[in-house]
């Protein structure tokens, strides 16, 4: 998405490690599994199942993987240190709930935009965004946001702007930056974008 990993994805590292999980704008964010490759045994021997925040693992379980029948060396034990924790499942469960609540506004960006917009509506949003983002930075400022909405036939009032920024957890500062995903979220929050017969966007009202 905009040349960035976004949504569910798989990533293979040069060292043999393997990741499967959720991404938001090129960073791991949400549930994921990281498989660790052992060069000597030539297979993945350990895995981390957990929650990522801003590209870093924050909470989860680190476990050994079952031996691979096709890799004899994987049958040789290489156990993890035993951890003594009272009620680990409850601790993990509670922490996961806290993290997911804290990061809900960030993770909303990973919802596929095609679940909110038709292909024509999404194209109208992209055209509107690019007309404002003339430097092709992939971002526009809060000051430019009303102009972007004008491109799809929507007038952004001061009250609308305040609601949108609160919804996106953004500050009302002229130079605050917004990505295309956030611009689309804002449009979806205020009013679904409709298209006329010529493919131009307009407000339902």
């Amino acid at each position: 998405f905009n040349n960035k990993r976004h949504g569910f994805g798989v990533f293979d590292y040069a060292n043999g490690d393997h990741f499967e999980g959720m991404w938001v704008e090129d960073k791991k964010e949400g549930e994921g599994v990281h498989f660790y490759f052992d060069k000597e045994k030539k297979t993945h021997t350990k895995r981390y199942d957990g929650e990522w925040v801003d590209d870093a693992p924050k909470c989860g379980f680190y476990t050994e993987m079952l031996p691979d029948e096709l890799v004899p060396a994987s049958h040789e034990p290489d156990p993890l240190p035993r951890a003594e924790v009272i009620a680990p499942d409850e601790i993990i469960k509670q922490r996961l709930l806290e993290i997911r609540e804290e990061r809900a506004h960030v993770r909303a960006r990973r919802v596929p935009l095609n679940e909110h917009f038709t292909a024509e509506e999404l194209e109208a949003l992209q055209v509107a965004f690019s007309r404002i983002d003339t430097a092709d930075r992939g971002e526009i400022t809060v000051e430019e946001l009303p102009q972007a909405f004008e491109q799809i036939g929507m007038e952004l009032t001061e009250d609308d702007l305040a609601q949108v920024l609160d919804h996106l957890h953004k500050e009302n500062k002229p130079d605050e930056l917004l990505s295309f995903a956030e611009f689309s979220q804002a449009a979806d929050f205020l009013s679904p974008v409709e298209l006329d017969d010529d493919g131009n966007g307009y407000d339902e009202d």
Side-chain angles (χ1 to χ4, degrees), residues 5 8-21 23 28 33-37 43-44:
R5 291 178 284 262
F8 178 81
V10 174
F11 187 79
D12 290 308
Y13 293 81
N15 67 355
D17 285 6
H18 177 83
F19 175 81
E20 298 179 7
W23 304 74
K28 301 184 191 74
V33 185
H34 189 111
F35 299 89
Y36 296 89
F37 186 77
T43 188
H44 296 102

Side-chain angles (χ1 to χ4, degrees), residues 6-183:
H6 199 79
F8 178 81
V10 174
F11 187 79
D12 290 308
Y13 293 81
N15 67 355
D17 285 6
H18 177 83
F19 175 81
E20 298 179 7
M22 302 304 298
W23 304 74
V24 172
E25 296 183 350
D26 233 21
K27 294 183 179 181
K28 301 184 191 74
E29 181 72 45
E31 295 179 65
V33 185
H34 189 111
F35 299 89
Y36 296 89
F37 186 77
D38 187 311
K39 290 183 179 180
E40 291 184 4
K41 297 181 179 180
K42 294 182 172 53
T43 188
H44 296 102
T45 57
K46 296 179 176 62
R47 61 184 285 169
Y48 177 86
D49 295 70
E51 199 82 6
W52 266 255
V53 171
D54 200 23
D55 220 29
K58 285 294 181 182
C59 180
F61 293 96
Y62 190 49
T63 58
E64 298 173 58
M65 293 186 64
L66 295 174
D68 186 336
E69 295 182 0
L70 300 177
V71 183
S74 68
H75 292 262
E76 299 173 12
D78 186 17
L80 291 167
R82 185 175 179 81
E84 297 292 341
V85 180
I86 298 174
D89 290 343
E90 286 302 313
I91 293 174
I92 293 290
K93 181 180 179 181
Q94 181 59 38
R95 184 58 186 136
L96 287 176
L97 288 174
E98 293 171 357
I99 291 172
R100 288 167 183 170
E101 184 176 349
E102 292 168 2
R103 303 294 290 179
H105 68 285
V106 175
R107 295 174 183 183
R109 303 175 198 166
R110 77 175 180 220
V111 177
L113 293 177
N114 58 11
E115 291 185 9
H116 291 263
F117 305 102
T118 66
E120 291 80 8
E121 291 168 344
L122 192 55
E123 182 179 2
L125 289 171
Q126 290 172 328
V127 169
F129 189 85
S130 63
R131 285 175 178 171
I132 306 303
D133 179 27
T134 54
D136 198 25
R137 298 172 302 169
E139 295 172 317
I140 61 174
T141 65
V142 164
E143 187 175 32
E144 295 170 327
L145 190 58
Q147 301 171 46
F149 273 106
E150 287 177 7
Q151 297 295 322
I152 52 174
M154 294 174 67
E155 183 178 349
L156 192 67
T157 66
E158 287 296 324
D159 187 51
D160 290 336
L161 179 61
Q163 290 184 49
V164 163
L165 295 178
D166 182 63
H167 176 67
L168 297 175
H169 292 255
K170 292 285 186 176
E171 294 187 49
N172 195 349
K173 295 180 178 179
D175 58 353
E176 182 84 355
L177 296 174
L178 301 168
S179 66
F180 173 71
E182 289 168 329
F183 169 61

